[in-house]
Each structure stands twice: as C-alpha cells, then as structure tokens.
Amino acid sequence: MLRETVRVQYRHAPGANFADLDAVLASAPGRPSLPVRLTLELFGRCHEQLGDPGPVVVWDPCCGTGQLLTTLGLLRRDEVAALVGSDADPEPLALAARNLALLTPGGAEARAAELDALAWQHGKPGYSDAAAAARRLDPAREGPPSEVTVADAFDPAATGGIVARHRPMVVLADLPYGRQTNWAGRAAAPQPDAPAGDPGPHDGAAPDDGAASEAGEPSPEVSFVSALARVLDPAAVIAVVAQTRKVTLPPGTTALERLRVGHRAAAIVRAGDVAI
Ligand SMILES: C[S@@+](CC[C@H](N)C(=O)[O-])C[C@H]1O[C@@H](n2cnc3c(N)ncnc32)[C@H](O)[C@@H]1O
C-alpha cells in the first residue's frame, strides 16, 4: 500500500504556544532544533503505533543540544521511562547535558538563576522573562533519567551498544539539514555496504515511492534508517524528520505514516518493516 504524505493534523499537541519552553532551552548558533509542537506530535504518534506500551525509552541518535529529548522529558514525562541522546559531534553534548539537567531536582531553578544573572549582566528583560518561565516548569516533579553520549549513527558497534544498554522503543531523529548542520561520520563518505536499488525483503505491501536516490547512491537518510533498523528491536518505531519534500526510505520499505509540516517532511516506520 502506498503511504500518502499528509499535512499534519496535531492530534497529540493541540495547543500551539510553547513560548515558555522555547525561552528556557539553551541553544547555540548553528544548532537548530525541532519545534516543540512537532516533537510532541511525532512522539505521540510513535507511542500510539506501539499499542499501549506504558513508559518507553526514547533515543535521539542525532541529539545535538538535546532540545527534543528535554521537551519530551518535561512535557511527556508519564510516557517516557528514560531519554538517551547521541551525536557524532561531541561539541553540542555539553549543552544537551545542561538542557537535560532541567529534568533533575533543582535543575529548573538553577537555569532560572543563570538567566537572572544574564538579565543583570546584559540588562535585557528577555532573560528575566525566561527566568520566570523556567520557574513555571513544574520543578517539583523529577523527569525521567537521561544519558547523552558520542556515537556515529552509522557505527553499528556504537549504536548496538546503546540499544543493548537502553532498549529504546521510540527513536526520534531530526536529521542534519545540510545548511546549518551536516552529516558527519561514515554518512559523510559513500556507503559501500548499502547497495543502491536492492529491493530487499518486505511484507508484500507495495513500497513507498522515492526509495532510491536519483544518483543511484543511497542517500544518508536511507543509510541512516537502515543502520538503525539493523540494531533496534524489530517492534521499535522510528520517526525521522528532514527538511525535504519527502523522506526517502530504503527500497522495499513501507512507512507507517508520512507527514508534511511546512518545509519539513517526516516518516514513521517500524524497525522490523525496514528492508535491510
Ligand atoms: C538538526 S540537528 C538535531 C537537533 C536535535 N535533535 C535537537 O533537538 O536539538 C542534526 C544533528 O545530527 C548530528 N549528526 C550529523 N551526522 C551524524 C551522524 N553520523 N551520527 C549522529 N549524529 C550526526 C549533527 O551533529 C547535529 O547535531
């Protein structure tokens, strides 16, 4: 069955105002993050695709500054058992750890104090507003445990280790856009072990179109989904977002859902459905 790409209807995040959270999360120039509302929607859909799983471990294999994970830890804490972030680039991981510290006792107050100090230092009322927003983040409730680590998403030894330790059932990844962030690690080089055009096994359903890249080389997003599917529990659900018209999946793979959101597209796929 061909999976149509549909414009997103926000079933899991009906409200659109997440200004408090946006103000509190630490970011850095050239470190884009997924909008909060889209993060909640994709997580809600993945969780739904798992049936009624209870709290799940969520892994972001391109976690950057950890905003996606922190958002889920703060706003979906009852559905999240633990948060795991990894990135090929070690640089943003210090910021990721700072953001995830918002989930620990006293974390929101510490961030508020930091923002108060910035307001005093720079005389900018925006920092005071952000400090007030941090104090509204329900600091009394501890969030799920979290861990961030350096790992190339294309390195099976690294990703296999993460999966063995944490057993993630939801994977959410905001892929490098090629403008502010680029693919690194093995993805930056040609992928010799992922032959283009190999249809692979599938479940009898017609695969989504757009599966092979125009140049005949598997695109990084195809290689990325294959690499994750090789190490994940087959029941795990992967959501990938890219700034593109349509996320390309490995040939022979049918998505559970496909969505369009502005200049982004997302695909949700079950690891066991990925033709590898
Ligand atoms: C669009 S950003 C992700 C933003 C992040 N999800 C957040 O919430 O802030 C893409 C990230 O992918 C990372 N990346 C690039 N190549 C990678 C690879 N081979 N393995 C893992 N991460 C990679 C980049 O370093 C960058 O941090």
Side-chain angles (χ1 to χ4, degrees):
M1 185 180 34
L2 205 67
R3 206 56 80 206
E4 286 289 317
T5 300
V6 293
R7 204 158 280 282
V8 71
Q9 301 281 328
Y10 286 97
R11 290 192 273 113
H12 297 275
N17 187 355
F18 298 102
D20 272 9
L21 192 51
D22 281 332
V24 172
L25 291 171
S27 69
R31 295 282 170 199
S33 73
L34 204 58
V36 170
R37 196 176 186 206
L38 182 55
T39 300
L40 297 178
E41 185 61 30
L42 289 172
F43 173 71
R45 286 174 186 246
C46 290
H47 201 256
E48 195 173 69
Q49 290 287 357
L50 288 169
D52 187 10
V56 291
V57 177
V58 183
W59 175 28
D60 178 353
C62 295
C63 74
T65 58
Q67 298 201 23
L68 181 161
L69 293 173
T70 309
T71 295
L72 294 177
L74 286 167
L75 302 183
R76 291 293 179 268
R77 58 183 87 188
D78 292 338
E79 291 147 58
V80 173
L83 298 161
V84 184
S86 53
D87 200 293
D89 181 359
E91 200 208 89
L93 295 185
L95 265 188
R98 267 179 63 195
N99 279 324
L100 287 162
L102 287 168
L103 308 174
T104 60
E109 180 49 42
R111 177 74 176 135
E114 202 175 87
L115 290 161
D116 278 338
L118 286 170
W120 186 81
Q121 202 180 333
H122 299 289
K124 288 193 180 162
Y127 286 122
S128 301
D129 295 345
R135 294 192 169 97
R136 288 193 290 270
L137 284 179
D138 192 10
R141 279 192 69 198
E142 197 173 340
S146 63
E147 182 183 304
V148 288
T149 184
V150 180
D152 178 351
F154 297 84
D155 174 0
T159 55
I162 289 172
V163 170
R165 269 200 314 285
H166 300 284
R167 308 249 161 240
M169 290 307 286
V170 170
V171 179
L172 236 60
D174 178 25
L175 302 183
Y177 302 141
R179 268 175 284 167
Q180 288 176 295
T181 54
N182 288 300
W183 284 107
R186 282 188 58 205
Q191 303 286 298
D193 58 350
D198 177 359
H202 64 84
D203 57 7
D208 292 339
D209 58 346
S213 76
E214 280 176 27
E217 283 287 322
S219 65
E221 62 202 50
V222 164
S223 303
F224 176 80
V225 172
S226 303
L228 294 183
R230 281 193 187 97
V231 294
L232 283 166
D233 182 318
V237 175
I238 308 168
V240 281
V241 188
Q243 287 203 3
T244 177
R245 283 182 60 75
K246 186 173 184 184
V247 174
T248 310
L249 292 174
T253 302
T254 300
L256 295 165
E257 295 183 63
R258 283 185 170 279
L259 304 167
R260 273 303 293 283
V261 193
H263 52 283
R264 293 182 173 88
I268 299 177
V269 63
R270 198 174 301 285
D273 290 347
V274 176
I276 45 179

